Amino acid sequence: MVTPQRQWLAITAAFIVNGAFYGIWAARIPAVAATFSLSHNALGLLLLLLALGAITCFPIAGRMADRHGAPLVTRVLTLGKAISMLGLAFAPNIWLLAVALFAFGASHGGMDVAMNAWGADVERKARRAWMPSFHAMWSLGAGLGALSGYFAVSAELDYAWHFLLTALVLPVFGFWGMQIPWKTETKVTDQKASLFPIPKGMLLLVGVFALCTTLGEGAIADWSAIYLIEIALAEEEIAPMGLAIFSGTMVAMRLAGGFVIAALGTTKSAIGSAIMAIIGTATAVFGGSVVVIILGFAIMGFGYALAMPIAFSRAGNDPHVPPAQAIASVATLGYGGILLGPPIIGFLSEWVSLRGAFGVLLALAILMLMIAPAVQSTPAKESEPA
């Protein structure tokens, strides 16, 4: 019999690996952009391909997880991420780089849906509010990946070798951690259902709330290093620290998330998150020094941390829609923002400057605050905190 602690560790391994892949890619974006002489607009187009790959795979992965089991789909797409990262490492031209980015986005988004469905199943059977801690591990993985970028740049390690080492090491850790027996109830998806389902009712409100945060999270992931270099004139080896610290504060808040939600309730937690997001984005947008801008990123991490755990936990426990399909529908709005944020920032920066583009994040944080009172407690509210 698998203990609850081992179940938690298995899901944790999946989230860490998924986050680390993304953090490592994000930390080396300046190097990739320099290698291919990419303008902000060109980089935005490439990041849009990554987003399109993920959004395309959301519903496909959801259906496959419902049909074949989320653990199997999670493991298969872990290998897919490693293969696509090899493509990123050795793409000889911008066209093959674009193909690799689409594949990386597809495997990244599909794995996110599958591992969240698996996590919701574990959370439900254990009767614990574990989803915030799972997402904390994603942020930890992203932060460690970004931190590895600092050391790689300091050691003058080419991004291709950095990506190669990532593709070889992370799947080993992931497969070792995820190797537990787990039976999931497979469900036949309604073939008449929309391929790209949009959440309805309360799930729609939670999805829009999550979208406001994930657009910002995606912008920080892919643009924070460049933002620090261009706005605050940071050195290249210092630039990845913005994402690392942002991820660190998300880890801290998500680890405490089960207790926060249990103590305050979902609605008050959502309102507090929105207020922190407003303070953080305002600090980053109007700050001029490296320290002040990174402080803003840190506060943004506190503000963004709980939105997606709330959304996915609610979706995974929906009484009317199969878990993976429900999560895929919320992911279409919520998690899709992580991937759409970067290209949006890239396109806007060509018109209103990079700082002006980041100002959109402040407007989204204000929208979060307007929506937050409508976010209600999840069906899993009787669960114990993590």
Side-chain angles (χ1 to χ4, degrees), residues 220 227 231 278-289 292-300 355 358-359 361:
I220 297 297
Y227 190 86
I231 303 301
I278 291 171
I279 295 171
T281 50
T283 302
V285 168
F286 297 111
S289 69
V292 172
I293 291 174
I294 290 181
L295 175 62
F297 291 162
I299 300 173
M300 289 168 72
R355 189 192 293 272
F358 265 62
L361 306 184

Side-chain angles (χ1 to χ4, degrees), residues 217-243:
E217 189 175 346
I220 297 297
D222 284 9
W223 287 98
S224 60
I226 294 176
Y227 190 86
L228 284 167
I229 290 172
E230 294 191 5
I231 303 301
L233 304 180
E235 298 293 334
E236 185 180 353
E237 65 268 20
I238 297 298
M241 295 303 295
L243 175 58

Side-chain angles (χ1 to χ4, degrees), residues 19-33 35-36 43 47 50 78-91 96-97 100-101 104 145-146 148-150 152-153 157-171 222:
F21 268 116
Y22 197 83
I24 289 167
W25 151 251
R28 302 312 301 267
I29 286 177
V32 174
T35 298
F36 291 94
L43 179 58
L47 295 175
L50 188 153
T78 298
L79 183 60
K81 289 200 75 171
I83 294 173
S84 61
M85 181 148 272
L86 289 175
L88 294 175
F90 299 110
L96 290 180
L97 178 67
L101 270 175
F104 183 77
S148 76
Y150 165 79
V153 173
L157 181 67
D158 185 81
Y159 77 81
W161 289 104
H162 192 186
F163 289 173
L164 173 62
L165 291 173
T166 298
L168 295 176
V169 173
L170 284 184
D222 284 9

Side-chain angles (χ1 to χ4, degrees), residues 209 253 264 266-279 299 302-304 306 368-369 372:
F209 178 82
M253 178 55 75
L264 300 179
T266 304
T267 302
K268 289 183 179 179
S269 298
I271 292 172
S273 295
I275 292 172
M276 294 294 285
I278 291 171
I279 295 171
I299 300 173
F302 284 123
Y304 289 165
L306 297 183
M368 279 178 63
L369 185 59

Side-chain angles (χ1 to χ4, degrees), residues 59-327:
I60 297 172
R63 292 190 177 195
M64 291 299 100
D66 283 330
R67 183 176 301 174
H68 303 291
L72 175 61
V73 177
T74 300
R75 295 181 184 116
V76 169
L77 290 174
T78 298
L79 183 60
K81 289 200 75 171
I83 294 173
S84 61
M85 181 148 272
L86 289 175
L88 294 175
F90 299 110
N93 55 57
I94 195 171
W95 303 108
L96 290 180
L97 178 67
V99 172
L101 270 175
F102 182 88
F104 183 77
S107 55
H108 179 80
M111 183 181 174
D112 188 84
V113 168
M115 71 186 186
N116 272 285
W118 189 7
D121 192 31
V122 168
E123 181 188 51
R124 181 171 55 254
K125 292 178 180 177
R127 296 187 61 80
R128 303 285 184 88
W130 277 345
M131 194 61 78
S133 68
F134 293 151
H135 283 252
M137 295 301 102
W138 191 93
S139 298
L140 176 62
L144 291 175
L147 190 59
S148 76
Y150 165 79
F151 290 112
V153 173
S154 299
E156 299 183 353
L157 181 67
D158 185 81
Y159 77 81
W161 289 104
H162 192 186
F163 289 173
L164 173 62
L165 291 173
T166 298
L168 295 176
V169 173
L170 284 184
V172 174
F173 170 78
F175 291 142
W176 170 79
M178 290 184 279
Q179 195 60 39
I180 64 168
W182 188 261
K183 293 183 179 180
T184 58
E185 180 183 353
T186 57
K187 300 182 180 181
V188 178
T189 303
D190 183 2
Q191 297 300 317
K192 296 181 180 179
S194 173
L195 182 60
F196 294 95
I198 299 298
K200 298 179 177 62
M202 187 55 62
L203 280 181
L204 177 60
L205 290 176
V206 175
V208 172
F209 178 82
L211 175 66
C212 293
T213 70
T214 55
L215 281 167
E217 189 175 346
I220 297 297
D222 284 9
W223 287 98
S224 60
I226 294 176
Y227 190 86
L228 284 167
I229 290 172
E230 294 191 5
I231 303 301
L233 304 180
E235 298 293 334
E236 185 180 353
E237 65 268 20
I238 297 298
M241 295 303 295
L243 175 58
I245 292 174
F246 170 83
S247 298
T249 58
M250 290 195 76
V251 168
M253 178 55 75
R254 283 175 169 173
L255 286 175
F259 296 101
V260 171
I261 294 172
L264 300 179
T266 304
T267 302
K268 289 183 179 179
S269 298
I271 292 172
S273 295
I275 292 172
M276 294 294 285
I278 291 171
I279 295 171
T281 50
T283 302
V285 168
F286 297 111
S289 69
V290 172
V291 173
V292 172
I293 291 174
I294 290 181
L295 175 62
F297 291 162
I299 300 173
M300 289 168 72
F302 284 123
Y304 289 165
L306 297 183
M308 287 306 287
I310 288 172
F312 280 143
S313 184
R314 172 64 178 83
N317 290 280
D318 190 272
H320 306 296
V321 183
Q325 183 180 337
I327 287 173

